[in-house]
Amino acid sequence: MSVGTIETQTAETQTEDAPLVALSDKAAEKVREIRTEENIEDTYALRLKVQGGGCSGFSYDLYFDQPQETDRAFDVKGVKLICDEMSLMYLVGTEVDYVEGLHGAGFKFQNPNVKSTCGCGSSFSV
């Protein structure tokens, strides 16, 4: 399979009730807004990644990237998402939201697999 032909599945084809990874309406709107403001090419998708690090063991990363052969690709609320298989193991059932508050604004991962987080909330353990 070449990079240009990665199979994209809609969230509805994953399971009837819950996609593997979800976006809130506000997060999907913000992703589209950022894509437009930054003139990000349509060939790029939003990568959701879990990587080792942080005081609790793992941290999230979220950025636009080109799909790779080994990625799983999803279309959620009109947003192309990609995720490597290792990250997906930790992200199943997660909803990404966009929140604004007194402490700033940003994307928040609501992950049912997390057992604990660090005090600052930037890393987690499972």
Side-chain angles (χ1 to χ4, degrees):
M1 176 188 303
S2 71
V3 172
T5 60
I6 290 180
E7 183 179 331
T8 300
Q9 301 173 339
T10 63
E12 291 76 29
T13 63
Q14 297 304 308
T15 63
E16 285 185 25
D17 298 322
L20 292 178
V21 180
L23 287 177
S24 69
D25 290 339
K26 194 163 189 169
E29 179 182 324
K30 188 65 176 179
V31 169
R32 287 190 291 272
E33 179 184 314
I34 291 169
R35 178 184 285 283
T36 300
E37 287 177 0
E38 301 292 327
N39 295 318
I40 296 170
E41 297 175 30
D42 288 340
T43 58
Y44 283 74
L46 185 65
R47 180 172 297 281
L48 288 83
K49 187 172 181 129
V50 172
Q51 55 194 14
C55 46
S56 290
F58 295 101
S59 61
Y60 299 112
D61 204 0
L62 189 67
Y63 56 95
F64 287 98
D65 194 16
Q66 291 278 355
Q68 303 299 312
E69 272 189 48
T70 56
D71 286 337
R72 292 283 297 271
F74 311 94
D75 186 273
V76 179
K77 297 184 180 180
V79 175
K80 290 186 251 179
L81 302 177
I82 53 175
C83 189
D84 63 83
E85 290 291 334
M86 190 282 297
S87 295
L88 188 58
M89 290 187 318
Y90 297 105
L91 292 170
V92 170
T94 297
E95 181 182 48
V96 180
D97 193 11
Y98 185 77
V99 295
E100 298 178 42
L102 296 175
H103 299 288
F107 291 96
K108 179 179 180 182
F109 289 73
Q110 297 173 350
N111 188 338
N113 305 303
V114 169
K115 301 293 183 228
S116 65
T117 60
C118 66
C120 64
S122 64
S123 66
F124 66 96
S125 65
V126 290

